[in-house]
Amino acid sequence: MGVLRAQFVRRGCSEFRVMAMLRRKTRFKILRRAVTRLCASGNAIARPGGRVRARVGVRVRTAARARVRARVGTAARARVLPRSRSLVRPQHKACQSDGDNTAGEDVPNERVLRLLTSPVGYKVLASDEEWCLISVEPGQGLTILGCLWARCLSGRACVLEYEMTPGCPAIPIYSPTTHSALTLQALPPLSETFQNVCLTPDSSPLPKFVTTYLHKADIPSCNSVLLLEKLASHLVTTLVTSAIVPKLFSPNKVNNVVQLYGVDAWVLPSTCGVTMHPSSKDAIATVLQAALGGAVSPVVLVCGKRNIGKSTLIRCLMNTLLNHLPCLYHLECDVGQTEFMPPGFVSLHAVTKPLLGPPFTHQAAPLCAVYYGDVSPDHDLDRYVAAIRLVMEEMRAHPACPLLVNTNGWVKGPGLMVLADICRIVRPTHVIQLAGLSFSSPMNAISSSFLQSAEGWITHRAPVSVNFEMEPQSEHRLLNVTSSFSRSETSVIMLQPSSVYRDLAVVSYLSQLLPPSLPPQPLLAYCLPPYQVKLADIALHIAHCDVPPPHILYALDLALVGLCHLDQDVQGGPLLLEETPTCISFGLGLIRGIDVEQGLVYLLTPVCESLLRNVNLLMVGNIRLPASILKQQQVRVPCLEFVHYVLKVSY
């Protein structure tokens, strides 16, 4: 400023005029930057005629009343539009709808948004405190962050390859900041006329005044109308209050994020959503054709390296099959990143509902499971393969349905040998092999010729083992897929280590302990009634390390245990096992406490009581309770009501 001042003085300007000019220029620059920042962050309200009013306490002087142009990127510029086309955040005050109310209804506290046109092809028709009604143009998408219920009232829409049509019940959608966001995609309509709202007996009634808004709004016949409702459950409350991931369902930053009033959801840029390579869609279409037109139900095995998108591809494949089939099976062979259970399980599940979220949002009871007790199979490969064989034997007792098999990302050395064993056990009809775009060394092609000549960990090229009989390997179709499920982070999506995902799965599984009748609340162990288990009727085992017998109860206290069944008599216990058995498991439990004098173990578990009567083995593995759950517990003295509801299980 001193140099500029000297130059102006030399040109004959007075000092007063120079200082006034410099102050006015500096003030205008500062004011322009402040208003531009407010417009970019969404904290300013657009006014007709190009005016901008600040909302966060920034004084806007007279010089800022001119039109403001905010630079976006390096080339494009955003312009403040008139109210009918401007992007306005929803207000908390009630406002009247455009036009007259032809139905003659009194609509109290009506919150009809003025945002009728947006750059991404969606329109907010109306919203209230618990719901939001939107219209999406065909071919356009709405990338969502948050958790909500979604229903299609007219047209067609899909999310993660699951199609929503009018009359279908509402489905829960979980799109957290730890994974790529889900996109509600509008599909072309099947007819050219606007479809009326269709409700089935399974559908919940529409919120009040939604039908009125549908009749008043001018909706093109080709658009899809979606009703988004707020989702409040024990699962969401437990995950949020566990503090494992701060702001799990809300953005860390507000840049390029638009909040949908009425639901706990935000609209993100499309770059944050899940993308699929054309080869993935071709593989899904091939499997779908085999499931619908084949005489034999397909068995699809998905393999590939770590963090390449196997689980996401399987969810898309399951959702596609559920559009046409009522049920399918899922075999989980990845003990580190399981889909339906806490880590450490090899499990078989029957899938009847779409999967619209990460694994920790849809924990479910298995048809059959074996508790391996670790997050990696390399500690005991023999028992790992034996667990898969045991689950597959139980699978053959169920009706024929398509089976999807998920494998771990260990595809070199012993891991490749174990993968050959899995293929020979499950006998797939299709193998989907994912490969990335990097220049790292590719894995071996899992073709039929490879399996016929490859050496497995416990299997061989020919049945030469005395204790093991293997039929000749059948032919399967190999589908090569280029993975486009990138793990790139953005300002909103912050990917986490695998240990964080495992902790979220454990917390989600334990959230089933909370009774549905209670309002959503954190997971506090002192308010949950435990089961009483007699030490004399069970066997105990520590699977991941050697513990002296006098210290077994110390290792058992406040531990997560696999609830297993042994085919032997364990009366007169507790029986301490020397070797880790391979046996059927029903789920996971938390040891609430141990009463040595009375010989009782207090157990918390979401497993139903009918299955608990078959449990006679508590197995401790290398699966820990998250530290955040321990920190939020409170010390309380049990009351009479708590003691009254304690359940006693006899074996």
Side-chain angles (χ1 to χ4, degrees):
M1 182 178 295
V3 176
L4 292 177
R5 176 182 174 183
Q7 292 178 356
F8 278 109
V9 171
R10 294 192 195 101
R11 293 178 183 177
C13 298
S14 64
E15 184 176 356
F16 175 79
R17 293 184 58 189
V18 170
M19 294 304 299
M21 186 188 311
L22 293 177
R23 284 195 300 267
R24 188 163 53 251
K25 183 177 181 181
T26 304
R27 184 167 59 250
F28 177 76
K29 285 184 177 180
I30 296 175
L31 194 57
R32 181 179 180 181
R33 291 173 184 173
V35 175
T36 302
R37 191 180 303 111
L38 288 174
C39 293
S41 61
N43 290 327
I45 302 178
R47 289 296 184 184
R51 296 184 181 181
V52 174
R53 181 172 61 87
R55 300 179 62 185
V56 292
V58 179
R59 295 185 60 187
V60 181
R61 298 180 182 272
T62 306
R65 294 181 179 178
R67 289 180 176 270
V68 177
R69 295 180 178 270
R71 183 176 297 275
V72 179
T74 57
R77 288 180 178 268
R79 184 177 57 183
V80 179
L81 302 177
R83 171 171 291 276
S84 60
R85 301 180 58 189
S86 61
L87 182 60
V88 184
R89 298 190 64 180
Q91 303 296 315
H92 295 282
K93 297 181 179 180
C95 57
Q96 297 296 329
S97 173
D98 295 335
D100 298 332
N101 191 345
T102 56
E105 297 184 25
D106 184 16
V107 185
N109 297 328
E110 181 179 347
R111 293 177 173 87
V112 180
L113 301 187
R114 301 289 184 176
L115 174 59
L116 299 180
T117 304
S118 61
V120 293
Y122 74 93
K123 179 192 299 183
V124 179
L125 303 177
S127 63
D128 206 341
E129 296 180 355
E130 300 291 334
W131 54 268
C132 179
L133 189 66
I134 62 175
S135 174
V136 187
E137 299 176 1
Q140 300 296 328
L142 199 68
T143 303
I144 294 294
L145 172 66
C147 52
L148 48 88
W149 292 96
R151 272 195 287 178
C152 183
L153 302 183
S154 179
R156 293 192 306 154
C158 72
V159 50
L160 207 62
E161 301 304 316
Y162 181 77
E163 184 174 338
M164 297 185 297
T165 56
C168 295
I171 55 176
I173 296 178
Y174 301 92
S175 183
T177 58
T178 56
H179 293 71
S180 297
L182 302 183
T183 301
L184 290 167
Q185 188 80 20
L187 301 178
L190 298 178
S191 61
E192 297 181 357
T193 59
F194 181 80
Q195 301 178 8
N196 295 327
V197 177
C198 178
L199 297 179
T200 62
D202 298 335
S203 302
S204 58
L206 293 177
K208 196 175 182 180
F209 306 119
V210 168
T211 307
T212 303
Y213 294 145
L214 287 175
H215 287 92
K216 292 170 56 178
D218 184 14
I219 306 174
S221 59
C222 59
N223 285 18
S224 299
V225 180
L226 302 176
L227 176 62
L228 310 180
E229 299 178 83
K230 184 174 294 185
L231 193 158
S233 63
H234 289 299
L235 171 62
V236 176
T237 304
T238 305
L239 290 173
V240 172
T241 56
S242 64
I244 297 177
V245 177
K247 295 186 177 181
L248 182 61
F249 291 105
S250 59
N252 296 320
K253 299 181 179 180
V254 296
N255 295 339
N256 300 325
V257 175
V258 178
Q259 184 175 5
L260 292 175
Y261 179 78
V263 293
D264 297 329
W266 290 259
V267 180
L268 304 181
S270 58
T271 54
C272 300
V274 177
T275 58
M276 292 184 62
H277 196 268
S279 58
S280 302
K281 299 182 179 180
D282 295 341
I284 292 176
T286 301
V287 174
L288 179 61
Q289 183 180 3
L292 297 180
V296 180
S297 297
V299 178
V300 184
L301 184 141
V302 181
C303 61
K305 296 183 178 181
R306 293 185 179 93
N307 300 329
I308 204 170
K310 298 186 295 296
S311 298
T312 306
L313 177 61
I314 287 181
R315 292 186 207 114
C316 294
L317 182 55
M318 282 192 286
N319 293 338
T320 302
L321 293 176
L322 289 176
N323 290 329
H324 307 274
L325 301 175
C327 179
L328 55 92
Y329 296 128
H330 177 269
L331 174 61
E332 184 60 76
C333 299
D334 188 357
V335 294
Q337 298 294 332
T338 53
E339 187 70 32
F340 294 99
M341 294 193 73
F345 282 91
V346 176
S347 59
L348 175 69
H349 286 79
V351 185
T352 58
K353 297 181 180 180
L355 306 182
L356 305 178
F360 57 83
T361 61
H362 45 251
Q363 299 287 292
L367 294 176
C368 178
V370 174
Y371 186 56
Y372 179 75
D374 213 324
V375 298
S376 178
D378 58 351
H379 296 286
D380 193 347
L381 292 178
D382 293 338
R383 187 164 62 90
Y384 173 70
V385 178
I388 298 175
R389 183 190 302 281
L390 179 59
V391 174
M392 276 303 299
E393 291 177 356
E394 296 290 334
M395 162 69 190
R396 295 185 175 93
H398 292 84
C401 283
L403 172 64
L404 306 182
V405 183
N406 184 31
T407 59
N408 56 61
W410 190 16
V411 295
K412 290 185 178 180
L416 185 61
M417 301 172 67
V418 171
L419 181 59
D421 291 338
I422 297 175
C423 292
R424 289 167 180 165
I425 292 174
V426 302
R427 303 176 63 82
T429 60
H430 298 77
V431 173
I432 300 180
Q433 185 171 349
L434 278 78
L437 299 175
S438 61
F439 296 97
S440 59
S441 58
M443 64 176 292
N444 297 53
I446 311 300
S447 59
S448 299
S449 58
F450 170 79
L451 293 180
Q452 292 175 0
S453 59
E455 190 76 13
W457 183 259
I458 65 172
T459 63
H460 304 275
R461 305 173 187 176
V464 298
S465 177
V466 178
N467 299 325
F468 179 77
E469 296 181 359
M470 174 62 65
E471 299 178 3
Q473 177 65 31
S474 59
E475 296 288 335
H476 66 264
R477 183 174 180 180
L478 178 62
L479 304 175
N480 293 308
V481 171
T482 301
S483 174
S484 61
F485 305 105
S486 61
R487 294 179 59 87
S488 59
E489 298 186 5
T490 63
S491 60
V492 179
I493 306 302
M494 301 298 294
L495 302 177
Q496 305 293 330
S498 299
S499 58
V500 174
Y501 298 141
R502 289 192 284 267
D503 290 345
L504 290 172
V506 171
V507 172
S508 174
Y509 184 81
L510 295 179
S511 68
Q512 303 176 65
L513 292 169
L514 298 171
S517 58
L518 295 179
Q521 58 182 321
L523 182 62
L524 301 176
Y526 70 85
C527 62
L528 300 174
Y531 293 95
Q532 292 181 355
V533 182
K534 295 181 180 180
L535 284 172
D537 297 338
I538 60 175
L540 304 176
H541 181 66
I542 310 297
H544 64 287
C545 61
D546 295 331
V547 178
H551 298 165
I552 290 292
L553 295 183
Y554 292 103
L556 196 68
D557 191 17
L558 207 60
L560 293 174
V561 295
L563 307 178
C564 309
H565 173 72
L566 279 178
D567 292 332
Q568 67 182 62
D569 187 14
V570 296
Q571 295 295 327
L575 178 63
L576 304 182
L577 303 181
E578 296 181 358
E579 296 183 358
T580 304
T582 302
C583 55
I584 297 296
S585 178
F586 303 101
L588 205 63
L590 173 63
I591 302 299
R592 176 69 172 83
I594 301 176
D595 192 338
V596 180
E597 295 181 357
Q598 298 184 6
L600 296 177
V601 173
Y602 295 94
L603 178 69
L604 294 174
T605 178
V607 179
C608 62
E609 185 177 346
S610 60
L611 295 178
L612 285 178
R613 297 185 182 277
N614 300 321
V615 175
N616 58 3
L617 170 62
L618 301 182
M619 185 187 302
V620 180
N622 197 20
I623 310 300
R624 304 294 184 184
L625 189 68
S628 59
I629 296 296
L630 297 176
K631 293 179 181 178
Q632 71 180 12
Q633 300 302 313
Q634 302 177 12
V635 179
R636 294 291 181 90
V637 178
C639 58
L640 295 178
E641 295 181 358
F642 171 76
V643 178
H644 176 71
Y645 285 103
V646 168
L647 301 177
K648 183 177 181 181
V649 181
S650 58
Y651 299 96

